[in-house]
Amino acid sequence: MVRGFVLLLFFALFSFAEVNESREDLNESQKREQELKEQTKTKLLNELERINNILEGDNLWLRKYASYYTYRKIELELEQISKEIEKLDKKKSKTESDNQQLLSL
């Protein structure tokens, strides 16, 4: 009986040591995964900062795009005004407000 108890105790201690070892392995793998996530996050933040610095600077491409966008906007406004002038010119009986509107364009 004592032998059985000692054997049972030995088996229990061996199982506990194995469970404890697997927990340590799990903790190590979680630590490595967390470190990898932190490194990736740091890399991405650095890349984002680098891109923001490029965009904030005196960027020729951004200025060209802004100029082009302004040009297109003015071109569309001019086209709308021209259509409005044509529409008012085609009206046979112009009211005083139509004449004022035509003069304001």
Side-chain angles (χ1 to χ4, degrees):
M1 175 132 168
V2 173
R3 239 176 162 183
F5 182 72
V6 170
L7 199 58
L8 183 63
L9 186 62
F10 178 75
F11 179 72
L13 288 175
F14 181 73
S15 295
F16 179 73
E18 193 172 300
V19 167
N20 199 19
E21 186 177 304
S22 68
R23 283 185 183 166
E24 288 174 3
D25 289 344
L26 183 61
N27 286 339
E28 266 185 52
S29 108
Q30 287 176 341
K31 285 179 185 177
R32 275 188 255 126
E33 186 177 322
Q34 185 66 25
E35 287 174 1
L36 184 62
K37 284 181 182 179
E38 289 296 322
Q39 288 174 353
T40 304
K41 181 180 175 182
T42 303
K43 281 181 186 179
L44 291 174
L45 286 173
N46 288 339
E47 183 69 13
L48 179 63
E49 185 177 341
R50 185 185 70 78
I51 290 171
N52 281 334
N53 288 337
I54 289 171
L55 292 177
E56 286 175 359
D58 192 24
N59 192 332
L60 176 65
W61 291 109
L62 289 177
R63 284 188 314 202
K64 285 189 97 160
Y65 177 74
S67 294
Y68 175 75
Y69 179 74
T70 304
Y71 167 78
R72 292 294 297 162
K73 187 176 173 184
I74 291 171
E75 188 178 47
L76 288 174
E77 287 177 14
L78 180 61
E79 188 177 310
Q80 288 174 346
I81 291 171
S82 296
K83 285 180 182 178
E84 188 69 26
I85 289 173
E86 286 178 22
K87 179 181 160 188
L88 288 172
D89 278 343
K90 287 181 181 178
K91 254 186 169 179
K92 289 190 178 184
S93 60
K94 294 181 181 114
T95 63
E96 185 61 34
S97 64
D98 288 342
N99 286 331
Q100 289 295 330
Q101 190 177 6
L102 188 57
L103 289 175
S104 70
L105 295 176

